[in-house]
Amino acid sequence: MTMETLLQFPLFQGMSNDDLMEVVGQTRFEFMKCGAGKVIVKSGEHCNELLFIAEGHFHTETFSDNRSYVLTEYMHAPFVIEPERLFGYSQRYTSTFTADDRCLFFSISKSDISKIIGSQFVFRLNVMNILSTEVQRQKDVLWRHSSGELSQCIVGFIRRRCRYPAGKKEIRITMKQLATELHAKRVNISQALNAMQSDGLLTLSRGKITIPVFEMLLQSEKIAKKQ
């Protein structure tokens, strides 16, 4: 394990060379690799370690509670898989992570993470910042103003379910189900989605919405709110 590898991840940023050397010397790292199409972790599995993806591309799949729709997000390293699930009320993964090409990753056990939190102030502060940011983000989403425009409601529906507000997204959902979720008429949902497709923001296929660049969709929402 090199210090350069650790410094890719926010949890280790800001730590001194001496502190990083101490972590490397006293922590057990499990190194793994995963080929394209292989599942890294599966939704519902117990989270008893932190997984750090150091190289490669992958995607996540997250289902609604009743499995009526699923959101797929395409992402890349460096990435830490659901650190908020290591402690707390529910210590199980909420999404399935699958490699899209050769992924290299390493893990640190929950007990070793607890030791690092106890001995390294900067690491402890980074953990607090990450968890606090996630809590604040979730709360801010709940109180965010909506103009009432259906296209913006659709964007908000997808944004609230994303773990990362960029890159390619796919959501497998019927227009009927999306209409139910947004308390709107199916015909109005169809009109809004087709207008967004005409603007090049997404593409529609049977039971699926594909967003090539999610940042463009968010930017269009910001522009619409200013008008």
Side-chain angles (χ1 to χ4, degrees):
M1 173 58 63
T2 65
M3 289 186 289
E4 289 76 13
T5 300
L6 290 180
L7 287 173
Q8 293 183 83
F9 301 95
L11 281 170
F12 296 98
Q13 290 175 5
M15 295 178 66
S16 68
N17 286 342
D18 288 344
D19 288 341
L20 288 170
M21 291 276 292
E22 183 177 335
V23 169
V24 170
Q26 298 182 1
T27 304
R28 180 181 177 85
F29 295 89
E30 295 286 347
F31 296 92
M32 294 155 279
K33 58 184 177 180
C34 192
K38 299 295 185 180
V39 173
I40 302 172
V41 297
K42 192 172 183 179
S43 173
E45 290 180 345
H46 190 69
C47 180
N48 52 19
E49 60 189 358
L50 271 191
L51 287 171
F52 298 79
I53 302 179
E55 294 181 19
H57 295 76
F58 58 94
H59 68 269
T60 71
E61 290 181 306
T62 310
F63 282 84
S64 61
D65 282 348
N66 62 1
R67 302 188 75 82
S68 61
Y69 60 90
V70 57
L71 174 67
T72 302
E73 300 184 69
Y74 293 86
M75 305 171 72
H76 60 81
F79 189 83
V80 185
I81 296 180
E82 299 190 8
E84 71 278 5
R85 293 287 164 174
L86 191 62
F87 302 98
Y89 174 73
S90 177
Q91 298 175 23
R92 294 185 180 275
Y93 295 108
T94 60
S95 303
T96 296
F97 288 70
T98 304
D100 290 325
D101 55 22
R102 182 172 178 267
C103 287
L104 300 179
F105 55 100
F106 63 90
S107 67
I108 303 177
S109 69
K110 183 174 181 177
S111 60
D112 275 350
I113 289 292
S114 298
K115 291 176 183 177
I116 300 172
I117 289 173
S119 64
Q120 299 293 338
F121 172 75
V122 174
F123 186 90
R124 183 163 64 251
L125 188 62
N126 288 339
V127 170
M128 293 170 62
N129 282 334
I130 288 172
L131 297 181
S132 295
T133 298
E134 178 63 18
V135 171
Q136 292 167 16
R137 186 181 72 86
Q138 294 292 339
K139 187 173 182 179
D140 289 346
V141 165
L142 291 175
W143 290 97
R144 187 168 293 160
H145 172 71
S146 174
S147 68
E149 291 290 334
L150 192 51
S151 61
Q152 293 180 34
C153 291
I154 293 171
V155 175
F157 174 82
I158 299 172
R159 184 188 62 236
R160 288 191 296 272
R161 287 152 179 81
C162 289
R163 64 180 64 250
Y164 183 65
K168 180 181 176 182
K169 316 289 182 189
E170 292 177 353
I171 181 166
R172 292 186 177 274
I173 187 170
T174 64
M175 289 193 187
K176 180 180 179 181
Q177 181 63 38
L178 185 55
T180 299
E181 296 289 337
L182 296 178
H183 307 287
K185 293 182 179 179
R186 183 191 179 284
V187 63
N188 293 338
I189 292 289
S190 178
Q191 290 172 352
L193 287 173
N194 277 283
M196 295 161 78
Q197 180 172 240
S198 297
D199 291 338
L201 299 172
L202 52 82
T203 57
L204 301 173
S205 55
R206 188 173 181 83
K208 184 172 73 172
I209 302 168
T210 301
I211 305 164
V213 184
F214 194 62
E215 303 95 306
M216 289 179 58
L217 197 63
L218 293 178
Q219 185 62 31
S220 72
E221 181 191 25
K222 291 179 182 178
I223 293 173
K225 284 182 177 179
K226 292 178 181 180
Q227 294 176 344

